[in-house]
Amino acid sequence: MTWEEIVPLLWPATWETAQMVGWATLFTVLFGLPLGVALVAFDRDGLRPLPALKSTLGIVVNVGRSLPFIVLMIAIIPFTRFVIGTTIGTAAVVVPLTVGAVPFFARLVETALREVGTDVVQAAQAMGASRTAVVRKVLLPEALPGLVSGLTVTIVALIGYSAMAGTVGGGGLGDLAVRYGYQRFETLVMIVTVVLLIVIVQILQSLGDWVARRISHK
């Protein structure tokens, strides 16, 4: 294939990847952030000590993180079909992407929150702040640079997951690389796809690092 033939295929595939990663990132934050907060709050010395529940959540998170994405994607096919109505296409891939990324992001949230000094939390509690206020006005703002860095790492991981989703008809750049680069032995397509994915990851990682640095300097 020539460059003129590749470009019309490249842009739609890139847009599909952006959609998959964008929606999956949104749902990952919506579910993963509260889960990460719960892992900290329910700890033995947390804001709301519930060790048994914390252990249960920890096991669920560890199981989710231990499964390779390709295995997870196949294992939850019935759930994906129930939620979306199909298991093929960009929309369907968002489900396993989210399920795979939520426990990953939750652990990063937990790590970021644990880096907040206990003296800051204790000072807020001494001033009469409720548990919810401590989380919203102390823990999350103080941990924001770490949360941004964790979100950046999660987005990069989602891009890699989305590329793997192309092997089962998920669309995006991974699908383009498989259908044209691998199955049709179009080396140029494979090279262009790989280079584009690397460039996207580099841009997002640099942007995330820059935002985290700016926040930490305030």
Side-chain angles (χ1 to χ4, degrees):
M1 296 180 69
T2 64
W3 178 252
E4 290 74 15
E5 293 173 315
I6 295 175
V7 171
L9 300 172
L10 202 59
W11 292 119
T14 303
W15 175 240
E16 288 178 352
T17 295
Q19 286 182 304
M20 285 187 286
V21 174
W23 283 110
T25 299
L26 174 62
F27 292 126
T28 295
V29 173
L30 289 177
F31 294 110
L33 184 61
L35 180 56
V37 171
L39 288 172
V40 175
F42 295 159
D43 206 357
R44 196 173 301 276
D45 56 350
L47 294 171
R48 182 70 169 88
L50 292 171
L53 181 56
K54 193 268 181 179
S55 298
T56 302
L57 291 176
I59 292 172
V60 172
V61 168
N62 289 338
V63 170
R65 292 178 61 202
S66 64
L67 291 176
F69 178 70
I70 191 69
V71 175
L72 174 67
M73 188 165 50
I74 296 172
I76 66 170
I77 281 178
F79 178 67
T80 302
R81 184 180 290 110
F82 171 77
V83 174
I84 303 297
T86 181
T87 58
I88 299 175
T90 303
V93 172
V94 172
V95 175
L97 283 177
T98 302
V99 173
V102 163
F104 180 79
F105 181 60
R107 281 300 187 193
L108 295 177
V109 170
E110 179 188 13
T111 300
L113 294 179
R114 290 192 185 283
E115 292 177 355
V116 177
T118 56
D119 54 338
V120 180
V121 176
Q122 291 171 352
Q125 290 177 313
M127 294 170 61
S130 64
R131 287 190 288 260
T132 303
V134 170
V135 172
R136 289 193 302 106
K137 298 182 179 181
V138 178
L139 279 178
L140 294 179
E142 289 292 324
L144 195 55
L147 294 175
V148 171
S149 297
L151 180 60
T152 303
V153 172
T154 303
I155 294 174
V156 170
L158 281 170
I159 293 174
Y161 292 165
S162 71
M164 282 188 279
T167 61
V168 292
L173 291 171
D175 180 60
L176 179 64
V178 170
R179 287 193 296 116
Y180 289 88
Y182 177 72
Q183 294 179 350
R184 302 187 185 183
F185 304 101
E186 295 288 351
T187 305
L188 182 59
V189 175
M190 184 68 74
I191 293 174
V192 170
T193 303
V194 170
V195 170
L196 182 57
L197 285 170
I198 292 174
V199 170
I200 292 172
V201 167
Q202 289 295 326
I203 292 174
L204 291 174
Q205 186 66 61
S206 299
L207 179 61
D209 292 343
W210 178 79
V211 173
R213 286 195 302 268
R214 288 294 301 270
I215 293 174
S216 63
H217 290 162
K218 292 183 179 180

